[in-house]
Amino acid sequence: AQSVTQPDIHITVSEGASLELRCNYSYGATPYLFWYVQSPGQGLQLLLKYFSGDTLVQGIKGFEAEFKRSQSSFNLRKPSVHWSDAAEYFCAVGLGGGSYIPTFGRGTSLIVHP
Amino acid sequence: DAGVIQSPRHEVTEMGQEVTLRCKPISGHNSLFWYRQTMMRGLELLIYFNNNVPIDDSGMPEDRFSAKMPNASFSTLKIQPSEPRDSAVYFCASSLKETIYFGEGSWLTVV
């Protein structure tokens, strides 16, 4: 079975600083990869996804993520963080091949200091 | 386009009462998921429907929980009787293929 690891429970950055949230997965083939964001009191919103092709994917709100097969990673980045980016971020992995139930990481809480 | 619609958004109920959570998936989606989110356990998949048929209910905690999907546009998650440990946020999500879309959640408190 696939698994997803988000090694950082909390990340604190200053507004305007760059951000990288880590995500590692365990699966033999190339899975489908997702990042979701959950603002306080809200549901999970899809930020971006990777299925195949260009390993650098662009998402909403200025986020991007890079798939690195050799490292089994799909890290989320943003060059300049805004206070409104403070939220919980979830990485998810799907197998595909007819099985579309994703496995979610435990999430990383982003705190943004002014 | 309307997203996944859940109701109620917030529910406070007394222990022992029946709770029914409702979900309208995105039109045209053929898969529906119920998740539960708590601080202790994170996001847990409770049950997954495909074409209105329950495919995997291994995440349903116990017999007090039941879910139905009578048609493609409606699903319910019922807890009877409810207990304080059921307090959580319950999310409904739907998908057509690989990407699932979440509702805003139903925030349940059992006192």
Side-chain angles (χ1 to χ4, degrees), chain A residues 56-101:
Chain A
L56 183 64
V57 293
Q58 302 297 320
I60 62 171
K61 302 176 187 259
F63 285 92
E64 65 179 25
E66 185 172 13
F67 168 60
K68 291 186 177 180
R69 184 190 306 274
S70 60
Q71 299 176 19
S72 296
S73 68
F74 189 56
N75 294 349
L76 182 71
R77 301 195 296 248
K78 186 169 185 178
S80 178
V81 170
H82 188 262
W83 64 266
S84 60
D85 293 324
E88 191 85 13
Y89 291 80
F90 293 91
C91 181
V93 172
L95 285 179
S99 172
Y100 297 128
I101 305 176

Side-chain angles (χ1 to χ4, degrees), chain A residues 32 34 36 38-46 49 51 88 90 94 96 98-106, chain B residues 9 33 35 37-43 45 48 56 89 91 95-105 107:
Chain A
Y32 298 120
F34 309 85
Y36 288 82
Q38 184 181 24
S39 297
Q42 303 293 314
L44 279 73
Q45 180 184 20
L46 180 68
K49 58 188 177 183
F51 294 164
E88 191 85 13
F90 293 91
S99 172
Y100 297 128
I101 305 176
T103 297
F104 283 83
R106 287 302 303 267
Chain B
R9 287 296 315 278
F33 308 78
Y35 285 88
Q37 185 180 41
T38 60
M39 289 292 291
M40 290 295 294
R41 302 172 69 93
L43 198 62
L45 177 64
Y48 157 56
D56 182 358
V89 186
F91 287 106
S95 71
L96 180 57
K97 285 193 174 180
E98 305 88 356
T99 306
I100 70 171
Y101 297 89
F102 285 80
E104 292 292 292
W107 301 69

Side-chain angles (χ1 to χ4, degrees), chain B residues 7 11 18-20 28 31-32 42 47 50 87-88 102:
Chain B
S7 65
E11 174 104 4
E18 177 180 292
V19 174
T20 299
S31 294
L32 184 139
I47 188 168
N50 186 252
S87 298
F102 285 80

